Amino acid sequence: MKKYQGLEGILLIDDDLPTNFIHKKVIEKASIEAVVKSVTNVEEALDFITYSGIYEDTSDIPRPGLIFLDINMPGLNGWDFMDAYRQLDKRFKATAVIIMLTTSLDPDNKELALIDKEVVVFLNKPLKPEMVTTLVNSYFKEISD
């Protein structure tokens, strides 16, 4: 397992439980040492990031250095998350790297994602271990023991 500076936690935001399960396994296969937290909606993701709601007393769980965000979700979607995320106090955002994920073939989604300064990469699902490794090596520095 490889450790990276600023990457103690990874947050998966996707309404599809099987996708979250698979992506968690993919991250494990990539040998990234980080706590992976998955949520199924935008409200819970924002509560987790800001230590509010059911996450009020969870300072022992690392907050994300890396966020994998699905675009298409019922209710509030990935774009709604980004609107709310931009409004958060900087201390909650710190150095989080946001990767937007989709199964959509709509080119407008990619264009919108790449215009957003908070989104660093736009990828098609599903994640693969080599994708995760490439992303982590691009945005985080490996800690040698």
Side-chain angles (χ1 to χ4, degrees):
M1 292 286 221
K2 293 180 181 178
K3 278 182 108 166
Y4 292 85
Q5 186 175 341
L7 186 61
E8 290 79 35
I10 296 174
L11 179 60
L12 304 173
I13 308 170
D14 196 312
D15 63 298
D16 187 61
L17 288 171
T19 298
N20 279 337
F21 178 79
I22 290 166
H23 286 171
K24 186 172 183 173
K25 294 296 180 191
V26 165
I27 293 165
E28 289 171 5
K29 265 193 163 175
S31 295
I32 309 298
E33 188 175 320
V35 174
V36 180
K37 171 73 177 156
S38 61
V39 298
T40 57
N41 62 67
V42 167
E43 296 92 340
E44 186 177 355
L46 292 167
D47 282 352
F48 179 70
I49 291 168
T50 61
Y51 301 88
S52 52
I54 62 170
Y55 297 103
E56 195 171 350
D57 295 319
T58 60
S59 59
D60 57 319
I61 302 171
R63 288 326 191 246
L66 183 59
I67 299 171
F68 288 102
L69 172 65
D70 183 30
I71 294 176
N72 297 315
M73 293 182 279
L76 298 177
N77 61 30
W79 304 116
D80 297 319
F81 172 84
M82 291 309 303
D83 289 341
Y85 186 80
R86 273 189 283 284
Q87 304 303 314
L88 294 179
D89 187 294
K90 286 182 183 181
R91 67 190 161 112
F92 295 123
K93 296 192 287 187
T95 58
V97 174
I98 299 175
I99 311 299
M100 202 164 247
L101 300 173
T102 191
T103 54
S104 169
L105 300 175
D106 184 350
D108 291 343
N109 282 334
K110 183 173 186 175
E111 190 176 314
L112 283 170
L114 296 178
I115 289 171
D116 192 315
K117 291 180 179 11
E118 302 274 0
V119 175
V120 298
V121 178
F122 180 89
L123 297 172
N124 288 311
K125 290 193 262 186
L127 283 175
K128 295 179 179 79
E130 57 275 9
M131 292 164 73
V132 174
T133 301
T134 299
L135 287 168
V136 168
N137 286 326
S138 297
Y139 294 98
F140 298 93
K141 183 179 178 195
E142 187 176 349
I143 300 170
S144 52
D145 293 333

